Each structure stands twice: as structure tokens, then as C-alpha cells.
Amino acid sequence: MKALVFHGPGQTSWQDVPDPSVKDAADVIVRVDAVTLCGTDLHIVKGDVPEVEPGRILGHEAVGTVVETGGDVRTVRPGDRVLISCISACGRCRFCREGRYGQCRGGGGWVLGHTIDGTQAEYVRVPFADLSVHPLPSSLASHDAVLLADIYPTSYEVGVLNGEVRPGDTVVVVGAGPIGLAAIAAARLYSPFRIIAVDLAAARLAAARDLGADAVVAAREQPERLVEDLTDGLGADVVIEAVGVPEAFEMCTRMVRPGGRVANIGVHGRPATLHLEDLWIKDVTITTGLVDTRSTPMLMRMMAAGRLPGAELVTHRFELRQMEEAYDVFSRAADTGALKVVLGGPQHDTVAAAVPSREP
């Protein structure tokens, strides 16, 4: 098969690799029908994630069709169309029993495209299938459903739930990339009074407005002053950091009200200063986290019901064989306007599966 292989910092190629095979009775093999790229993939390509070894197939988000199952798999069978979660869960360790699948110590957690071969390929082996793939309703198109693999559960769990967004809150989302935009859409489920989006790019601020932000402001245009003016000097109830740079995090801590919450989603590669000289007296709660994906079934129902946008977040579509071109477009988002980039071939309404003959 073909796959996108990491060969070291700055080096990837779309190349021939061996087909995956079932290695454990809990595995499934999935034919990839739609796959997307993540900012974390760009961090890997840059060399920021040293755990990813040369030779690794990248990717941790996909929708596909099951073609083979291990003997212990009970929830899906060949021919089923499924969402592949970015998090795998053994279901047995302490953290999985608490629903904290992202911290799995039984061989799961974030493994796809990280410590085992991932989804940016024509086929992928998914471990712990009964907890790590989700059958998809026919009403959800693959190019929409793939957003449920990572950005929606991440923005919902690490941003909205950790930030404890409540009806009537003023919510600020710093960073209007795919995760930030998904956070805006997910926060709206809780009827906040106002959502304010902050970003450097005008195109992303326009997208934030389209997805429900009540106010938008460029990062260079004193967003802290706007938040102060709109809250009568109090500050925001919840501030969600969706960038992953020190300046953005520190801005968030300046915009939150006393007793408010700062929910950090961004992946940080550099230290940020925690200004306790200002924060110690403000009763501020700061949270971090890796997504657990325990909310995925609920979010899937919400998208199927039209309560969460799908295609509105997708700006570019490619065929799988255009993987390297897709990476180029996604990595130059400031120039290309890329938000979510989705790859995949023609979609099929039905999948032929082998059925044993009933003839004598």
C-alpha cells in the first residue's frame, strides 16, 4: 500500500510500504476512506516530538471501512464504516477505568502516528478496536465525520468541559485555527452569553464569526482592552487557549476574571511564564489536558442532528495520493487560508462484504 512515512525532521514521503496485518486479537484493519492532517503532525515533521521514530507512518484521525477483525473484536465487523479515534484505550488499566483514555497505561493513549503506524495511509491497523473505533451512522458523510476523530473531542473535553462553560458566560477563545473554531462551535452548546475570538489572521476571524463568535478581534488590536470593555472591567468567565505559544497563554491569564477559568488546549513547545504575582489573589483555575475521547459518541449524535458543523471547517480536499501537496498547503496556512484539510477518494454509499453462501 501507499503511506506517508516520516524519515526524520523535515523529511517525509508518500511511498510503498507493507500492508498492515492483525497482530492482536483486539485489532481491526481499516481501509482509509477519509483522513485529515493535524497541527501535531506538523510538530512531528519539524522534529518537535522525538518519540516518533524515522520509518513511522503518520496520522491519528480517519474514517474508513473495516476489512478484517481480530478474534476478540465484538463491536464491528468487516464492511462496517467506522470513525477511528485519535486515542486508543485498553479498557483495563486504572486510567481507562476512570474514562481517562488519553492516559492509558495498557498500550493505548495517543499511539497512532506516534508510537505505532498511523492513519495517513491506504490501510491502518487499529488496536483495542472495541473502544477505539466507532460505527458511523449513514447520515454522516466521511469528510464531516473525520472531524470527530480529534478536533471536536479535544476542543470539547479539554476546552469547554475543563473550562466549565456555563449558560450566560463570556467565553474568549484565543486562536481561531481548527481547534479554536471547534471550541467555538462546542461552547455554543452551553448557551454562553458571548463568545469572543482572537487570532492574527483575518480569514480565521471571519470563519470564527461564521461559526458563531459574537465578537472577533485581531491579536495585534488590544484584545484585552476589548474584553475589559465588553465585561465592564470584570474579565471573561472562561478563556480557552488554542494556540500553544507563551504569548497566547499569558494573554489568557490577563483576560480572565477573578474566580474564572483558563483552559489550555494548545500544544506548547516553549516555556510560558506563570505570573503568580498577579494571579495568586484572583482564585483563577488553570487546566491542561490530553483528550480522552470519551465524549465522541455524544458528539457524533450532535453532528448527525445538525448541532455541530462539519464541512464548514474544511477548506481544502485532496485525494489520498496528493498527501504531500496537502501537507504543503496545510503547513502554509497563513498563505493558503487552510483550516481543516481532508483527503480521500470517492465516497461509496454501500460496501460489498463477503457473505457465506446459504446454498447447500
Side-chain angles (χ1 to χ4, degrees):
M1 69 170 183
K2 294 284 190 179
L4 195 283
V5 180
F6 174 69
H7 292 292
Q11 302 177 61
T12 61
S13 64
W14 179 249
Q15 65 182 68
D16 290 318
V17 297
D19 292 346
S21 60
V22 169
K23 295 181 178 180
D24 183 89
D27 292 348
V28 295
I29 306 299
V30 178
R31 185 194 73 209
V32 173
D33 299 328
V35 66
T36 185
L37 312 183
C38 179
T40 304
D41 297 322
L42 298 183
H43 280 288
I44 293 171
V45 173
K46 290 178 182 177
D48 294 341
V49 188
E51 299 85 5
V52 180
E53 300 176 347
R56 178 69 63 227
I57 297 172
L58 299 185
H60 52 268
E61 310 164 75
V63 166
T65 304
V66 176
V67 297
E68 186 179 356
T69 63
D72 290 347
V73 177
R74 296 290 179 267
T75 59
V76 295
R77 60 183 181 178
D80 286 349
R81 195 170 66 106
V82 296
L83 172 74
I84 300 172
S85 176
C86 66
I87 298 294
S88 302
C90 78
R92 299 184 296 270
C93 71
R94 168 184 172 176
F95 292 111
C96 283
R97 288 176 179 270
E98 295 175 356
R100 301 176 67 88
Y101 305 132
Q103 305 300 323
C104 176
R105 292 298 184 268
W110 172 37
V111 294
L112 289 170
H114 183 205
T115 58
I116 67 173
D117 286 337
T119 59
Q120 290 168 10
E122 293 178 314
Y123 293 86
V124 59
R125 178 182 74 91
V126 184
F128 308 118
D130 283 337
L131 283 173
S132 305
V133 301
H134 303 271
L136 281 170
S138 59
S139 60
L140 275 181
S142 296
H143 281 65
D144 295 332
V146 73
L147 304 181
L148 295 164
D150 187 351
I151 66 166
Y152 267 124
T154 295
S155 63
Y156 178 70
E157 295 175 12
V158 186
V160 175
L161 290 188
N162 280 0
E164 299 181 15
V165 175
R166 300 163 183 158
D169 276 353
T170 291
V171 179
V172 178
V173 178
V174 177
I179 287 286
L181 294 174
I184 291 169
R188 292 187 66 202
L189 298 175
Y190 287 82
S191 301
F193 172 62
R194 180 189 290 116
I195 299 176
I196 304 166
V198 181
D199 201 276
L200 288 169
R204 291 190 166 189
L205 292 175
R209 177 80 79 177
D210 291 342
L211 287 171
D214 301 286
V216 299
V217 58
R220 65 182 70 86
E221 294 178 357
Q222 297 185 304
E224 296 162 61
R225 177 67 60 85
L226 176 65
V227 172
E228 183 178 0
D229 290 344
L230 291 177
T231 60
D232 296 325
L234 190 63
D237 301 289
V238 182
V239 186
I240 296 174
E241 201 282 346
V243 182
V245 299
E247 296 81 4
F249 174 78
E250 293 167 29
M251 178 192 297
C252 290
T253 63
R254 293 193 296 269
M255 290 193 291
V256 67
R257 68 163 171 82
R261 287 88 65 195
V262 175
N264 182 88
I265 303 177
V267 178
H268 289 264
R270 293 182 288 132
T273 301
L274 183 62
H275 288 282
L276 287 176
E277 73 279 10
D278 299 321
L279 295 172
W280 73 271
I281 202 171
K282 293 181 65 176
D283 297 340
V284 170
T285 298
I286 299 173
T287 60
T288 65
L290 175 66
V291 64
D292 296 311
T293 66
R294 64 184 182 275
S295 66
T296 300
M298 180 275 292
L299 294 170
M300 187 182 301
R301 293 193 299 272
M302 298 301 281
M303 181 177 282
R307 299 290 300 278
L308 288 174
E312 294 91 332
L313 289 166
V314 178
T315 55
H316 296 75
R317 298 189 182 192
F318 299 89
E319 296 182 14
L320 273 178
R321 61 182 176 80
Q322 297 174 292
M323 185 69 70
E324 291 173 312
E325 181 182 348
Y327 259 89
D328 177 63
V329 168
F330 187 58
S331 67
R332 296 186 297 108
D335 300 322
T336 63
L339 293 174
K340 218 46 184 162
V341 171
V342 176
L343 303 93
Q347 301 303 304
H348 303 281
D349 294 330
T350 60
V351 176
V355 178
S357 173
R358 294 183 182 273
E359 298 294 326

